């Protein structure tokens, strides 16, 4: 019985540790090239815009820009050009003009389509298998040996624009699982950036 309690305590310690630090995963669930027009590269300068009013917007744009730099693609975070308000309410013609003035020939826009939260009960009994989502959580509330974890699920739409054509040349959709609240989003930025830039790279848009 003593060994069982020790094993239970160790299990909870591992899971709780993961819960506090949070875990973030992103998958590209679909993508398509030539959505409105065929790409007419080679593209030399990209601006990255996260079209979500969130305090981590700049952090995520910077992470994506850094990842593109590793790929040899010149990219710029939109907040450094368009300010904290981003491009909300701006017409396509206005944006195309501003982008050309700043030397951009392409733009990546990221739109948040949906956000939901799922609550999972995690059993403390070591004989019960722990669900996969148990490692992805906000700070848990503990009830006896069992507790509940919250998993935020985000769906985002990606649009890659050809500035001269004023047309979308590539689209993608991602689903992300964040389980650390604000810290989880912050922690997951680099992984999100790698996932979407890898997808764009596979499409051969920037070569």
């Amino acid at each position: 019985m003593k060994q069982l309690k020790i094993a239970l305590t160790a299990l909870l310690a591992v899971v709780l540790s993961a819960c506090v630090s949070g875990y973030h995963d992103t998958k590209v669930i679909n993508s398509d090239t030539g959505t409105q027009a065929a790409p007419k590269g080679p593209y030399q300068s990209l601006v990255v815009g996260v079209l979500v009013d969130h305090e981590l917007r700049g952090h995520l744009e910077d992470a994506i820009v850094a990842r593109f730099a590793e790929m040899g693609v010149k990219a710029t975070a939109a907040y450094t050009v368009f300010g904290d308000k981003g491009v909300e309410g701006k017409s396509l013609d206005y944006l195309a003009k501003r982008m050309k003035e700043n030397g951009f020939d392409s733009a990546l826009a990221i739109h948040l389509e949906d956000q939901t939260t799922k609550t999972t009960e995690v059993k403390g009994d070591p004989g019960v298998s722990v669900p996969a989502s148990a490692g992805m959580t906000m700070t848990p509330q503990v009830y006896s040996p069992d507790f509940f974890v919250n998993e935020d699920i985000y769906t985002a739409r990606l649009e890659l624009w050809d500035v001269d054509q004023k047309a979308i040349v590539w689209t993608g959709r991602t689903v992300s699982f964040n389980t650390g609240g604000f810290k989880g989003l912050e922690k997951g930025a680099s992984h999100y950036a790698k996932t979407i830039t890898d997808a764009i790279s596979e499409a051969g848009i920037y070569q």
Side-chain angles (χ1 to χ4, degrees):
M1 179 61 72
K2 183 177 181 181
Q3 290 181 336
L4 178 62
K5 288 183 177 180
I6 293 174
L8 175 60
T9 301
L11 173 66
L12 288 174
V14 171
V15 175
L16 287 170
S17 175
C19 291
V20 171
S21 61
Y23 179 79
H24 188 103
D25 191 21
T26 293
K27 298 182 185 304
V28 177
I29 52 179
N30 60 57
S31 63
D32 185 43
T33 302
T35 309
Q36 294 181 348
K40 290 187 177 180
Y43 299 106
Q44 304 295 326
S45 184
L46 166 73
V47 61
V48 176
V50 176
L51 307 185
V52 180
D53 185 13
H54 193 281
E55 56 189 309
L56 278 177
R57 172 191 163 219
H59 177 72
L60 182 54
E61 288 182 359
D62 284 339
I64 297 169
V65 166
R67 176 59 186 168
F68 270 119
E70 292 175 5
M71 297 165 49
V73 177
K74 180 184 177 182
T76 302
Y79 78 89
T80 66
V81 179
F82 298 104
D84 293 336
K85 294 296 183 181
V87 297
E88 184 179 356
K90 307 295 193 303
S91 70
L92 180 57
D93 287 339
Y94 171 82
L95 291 175
K97 179 182 177 183
R98 285 291 308 276
M99 289 176 191
K100 286 183 179 180
E101 289 174 350
N102 285 277
F104 302 122
D105 53 25
S106 52
L108 175 63
I110 301 174
H111 310 262
L112 178 63
E113 290 190 326
D114 185 58
Q115 177 183 351
T116 59
T117 300
K118 181 176 69 175
T119 301
T120 302
E121 181 179 7
V122 180
K123 294 293 185 180
D125 184 351
V128 178
S129 59
V130 178
S133 60
M136 303 186 294
T137 180
M138 293 182 182
T139 304
Q141 299 178 16
V142 181
Y143 301 93
S144 66
D146 304 337
F147 60 91
F148 296 85
V149 295
N150 293 323
E151 180 179 28
D152 293 328
I153 303 170
Y154 302 86
T155 303
R157 182 177 80 258
L158 316 177
E159 295 177 343
L160 187 62
W161 288 80
D162 180 307
V163 173
D164 282 335
Q165 298 187 77
K166 298 181 185 178
I168 301 171
V169 296
W170 180 90
T171 58
R173 183 168 274 102
T174 62
V175 59
S176 302
F177 306 91
N178 171 46
T179 56
F182 183 91
K183 288 294 184 183
L185 288 174
E186 187 175 35
K187 180 180 179 181
S190 60
H191 177 67
Y192 185 85
K194 183 179 186 306
T195 301
I196 65 175
T197 53
D198 283 352
I200 293 172
S201 177
E202 289 172 7
I205 304 295
Y206 295 92
Q207 293 181 338

